[in-house]
Amino acid sequence: MRKLLLLVVLSLSVNIQAQSPENTGTYYKTAHGKKGEALKTALYNIVKDPSVVHYDSLWFVYTFTDMHPEGYLWDMYSNTTRYPDPTDKTLHKNNYEGSGINREHSMPKSWFNPEDRDSRGKLTYKDVKPMYSDVMHVIPTDGYINNMRNDLSYGETTEPTKGSANYFSVVGPCSLDDFYGYTIFEPNDEYKGYLERIYFYLATCYEPLVGTWTSDMFDADSDEGYQPFSQWAMDMLRKWSKEDGVSDKERARNDAVWLAQGNRNPFVDYPGLEDYVWFDRIDEPFSYDGTDASTPIAVTPAKTTEIPLNNSFFGTRLNTSRSYWERFPFIGERDGVTVKYAYGCEGKNMYVNNTQMRFYTNNTLTFSTEHDLITSIELNVVKNDANRVFKASTGEMDGYKWTGEAKEVQFQLEYASAGVVQINNAKVEVVPAPDTGIVEFAVTPVEDGFIYNLMGVRVDADQLRPGIYIRNGRKFVVR
């Protein structure tokens, strides 16, 4: 059964490749036409808040995200292991290569919020969640080789000191400029691009947090949210991307992770996307569907729109019910308002039929708009088994009506209890976002480290006043 499921996923990935990423529907639509830093933030808003499973549940998730078609676990650190069942607890060892498997944080968990430790100095997964169990980057590997890697940075070495069997992956002094001589872990060429795209995903999915992460691969002086990596690491990751393109295995795993936690890696769906985000194509608008990206998608939201919350709106089948392991969200759009119905962190149920959606503990219902502000949302609740109360990510709740001003509002239930809430539609009011009065002028990017205002006039650092400025071709705000 598991082999059959992976073969289905592999078949699906081939279709995606043949049809281009367009058959992900409108998943990436809000990134259309964006450039550089704005594109990265748009991608963050698309892939953020994955519905990660509990760390202990990853063993089961691996049975459909990481099984080789020949029936053993795919290992990116060792090419000799043949583990048939990741849920077999007798295999969770690291005595020697081939003795067992681990859940490997491709970006070590010790890099996440290192100041948040318990009284014994140890991180707990509560402190680092959801990164701790994000299956996009927590991969199954041989336990012994995982232990050999420890929390070393990825890198390249010409003089390995130790490694896995056949030196498939190795440890040794870094041979790259600016990090020369430091001990690193070098994965095999076969998976370098794969791991690079995982790192670019992490920098995007956790954009607000990445500035708190600490390692030799990060630059404390960099523009944290936009480009957090040290220059040597960024140059290496880009090289790995070019030298090791997206594989069928990578596409299949991306589809399986979408099933497992409801988000995707855009750097897998769009090979070369990093050039639009950080490198030599940052001045080119991104097209999510192959159409002309220089012409923005027309958005004409109604002042008030009625949104049905049923299978037709979300594009599901009649009486669609999902198991715990089918976690990709339902997404629909009307009049410029996008609605996302998802598991939420450790949710357990989702259900939509021809008349309604059901809302369970830990589910999330998110309303968002790109160009305008949402000012009110009134949920039409047709049944509330336990009189459960909604909470919103911002604004104010009065029963089932929310008011405020926001581009995105997420609803959850205030407390856990038995029963289910049934909702058949929502009335959403939007207004145009206020004009900031800021007029921007074209400024030729200058890589000299000096600061310029929007008129292109150089400003000394000690003379900065609140406003928008440009340094090395990028904007920053002084408040």
Side-chain angles (χ1 to χ4, degrees), residues 42-113:
L43 293 169
Y44 155 71
N45 283 316
I46 294 168
V47 304
K48 68 180 181 179
D49 299 329
S51 297
V52 297
V53 301
H54 190 278
Y55 189 59
D56 292 338
S57 297
L58 287 172
W59 297 120
F60 180 83
V61 173
Y62 291 151
T63 65
F64 63 92
T65 59
D66 290 271
M67 294 304 295
H68 192 281
E70 295 182 7
Y72 57 85
L73 201 63
W74 221 308
D75 188 341
M76 291 194 282
Y77 284 3
S78 171
N79 67 345
T80 63
T81 59
R82 295 292 185 270
Y83 304 120
D85 183 4
T87 64
D88 182 355
K89 293 184 179 180
T90 65
L91 293 175
H92 302 171
K93 302 175 182 178
N94 59 5
N95 301 327
Y96 54 87
E97 186 171 359
S99 66
I101 52 177
N102 281 179
R103 295 158 292 189
E104 154 71 335
H105 291 83
S106 61
M107 185 171 287
K109 58 182 179 289
S110 62
W111 298 2
F112 301 141
N113 303 315

Side-chain angles (χ1 to χ4, degrees), residues 163-305:
S164 64
N166 312 314
Y167 270 34
F168 187 73
S169 54
V170 296
V171 171
C174 188
S175 57
L176 300 172
D177 292 341
D178 297 329
F179 203 56
Y180 187 83
Y182 290 87
T183 303
I184 54 84
F185 179 89
E186 180 175 2
N188 190 269
D189 291 348
E190 182 179 352
Y191 297 114
K192 284 178 177 175
Y194 195 158
L195 295 168
E196 160 268 319
R197 284 177 281 275
I198 287 176
Y199 271 40
F200 285 167
Y201 158 83
L202 288 166
T204 302
C205 184
Y206 300 101
E207 183 176 85
L209 300 177
V210 70
T212 68
W213 301 351
T214 303
S215 89
D216 294 319
M217 294 189 74
F218 293 124
D219 181 2
D221 296 325
S222 70
D223 187 339
E224 295 171 345
Y226 176 46
Q227 199 291 85
F229 296 105
S230 301
Q231 192 59 51
W232 73 268
M234 197 64 169
D235 292 343
M236 179 189 72
L237 292 172
R238 188 189 189 197
K239 180 168 74 75
W240 286 5
S241 173
K242 303 301 182 186
E243 293 176 351
D244 177 28
V246 178
S247 65
D248 287 343
K249 176 237 192 298
E250 211 172 337
R251 296 185 187 97
R253 191 174 196 271
N254 199 27
D255 293 333
V257 171
W258 163 253
L259 177 72
Q261 65 179 36
N263 71 342
R264 302 181 66 86
N265 186 343
F267 297 94
V268 173
D269 285 328
Y270 297 94
L273 175 62
E274 64 275 4
D275 289 339
Y276 288 87
V277 176
W278 291 294
F279 300 116
D280 53 6
R281 306 186 75 174
I282 59 173
D283 293 325
E284 296 182 36
F286 167 76
S287 173
Y288 89 101
D289 61 356
T291 59
D292 184 3
S294 62
T295 303
I297 296 174
V299 178
T300 55
K303 183 177 180 181
T304 302
T305 185

